[in-house]
Amino acid sequence: MKTSSFSKTYIVRLHETDLGGIVHHSNYFHWIEETEYALFDHIGEEVVGEFDESLEGSGWPRSEMNVKFVQPVKFRDEIRVDLSIKRIRSAAIVYQVDMFRLNKDGSEDKVLTGNYTATCCLYDGTFQKPPRVIPIPDSFLVKIAAV
């Protein structure tokens, strides 16, 4: 399979920073997740599937995340999140994520690098059972391969 990739840009807003104007670490994870959701939108897939008659719906919880913060990002910085698929397992996708500050002179600085795994699951809408890992549907694999 070829390496699928997707990018999205953001402008750092004041509420995403601390009193010094530096981005709080949790916001990096929000941007990564929003980029993954934009990828799903791009291929026409639901991030959270509709509940069926047995009240089960699909989703993609994170089962592992490992990132390294390289440089801080500040209020009003423009950033780009690059998301690439490193590997597709039977029930999970391993993503490579790199984040860059886009400078006004056209250069860019890497601010974060890492990888994470999202696992394909069925959720119980009654919340009586834990999520159940399922194989990634073939229809999804066809769509993601086309990116």
Side-chain angles (χ1 to χ4, degrees), residues 2-6 39 42-43 83 85 142-147:
K2 73 174 188 154
T3 301
S4 299
S5 61
F6 193 80
L39 169 62
H42 178 73
I43 65 170
L83 196 61
I85 295 176
V142 168
K143 289 179 183 178
I144 202 73
V147 174

Side-chain angles (χ1 to χ4, degrees), residues 122-139:
L122 281 181
Y123 286 97
D124 170 28
T126 65
F127 304 104
Q128 301 300 311
K129 298 180 275 187
R132 181 169 44 97
V133 175
I134 61 169
I136 299 171
D138 289 339
S139 59

Side-chain angles (χ1 to χ4, degrees), residues 36-79:
E36 182 183 2
Y37 293 169
L39 169 62
F40 274 54
D41 286 344
H42 178 73
I43 65 170
E45 274 293 322
E46 298 291 326
V47 174
V48 177
E50 297 286 327
F51 287 111
D52 63 15
E53 63 280 348
S54 62
L55 292 179
E56 286 189 321
S58 62
W60 293 86
R62 296 336 158 241
S63 54
E64 184 177 346
M65 189 152 223
N66 178 18
V67 299
K68 179 178 180 173
F69 298 98
V70 180
Q71 293 184 28
V73 177
K74 298 179 181 175
F75 175 52
R76 292 194 174 143
D77 280 350
E78 182 177 7
I79 60 163

Side-chain angles (χ1 to χ4, degrees), residues 10-14 16-18 20-24 28 31 71-79 101 111:
Y10 302 89
I11 302 290
V12 177
R13 298 169 296 182
L14 185 60
E16 295 167 323
T17 66
D18 60 18
I22 297 174
V23 169
H24 187 269
Y28 293 86
W31 295 323
Q71 293 184 28
V73 177
K74 298 179 181 175
F75 175 52
R76 292 194 174 143
D77 280 350
E78 182 177 7
I79 60 163
R101 177 181 24 256
V111 298

Side-chain angles (χ1 to χ4, degrees), residues 105-125:
D105 65 3
S107 65
E108 51 189 50
D109 300 313
K110 187 176 280 192
V111 298
L112 176 144
T113 189
N115 56 71
Y116 70 99
T117 303
T119 302
C120 189
C121 288
L122 281 181
Y123 286 97
D124 170 28

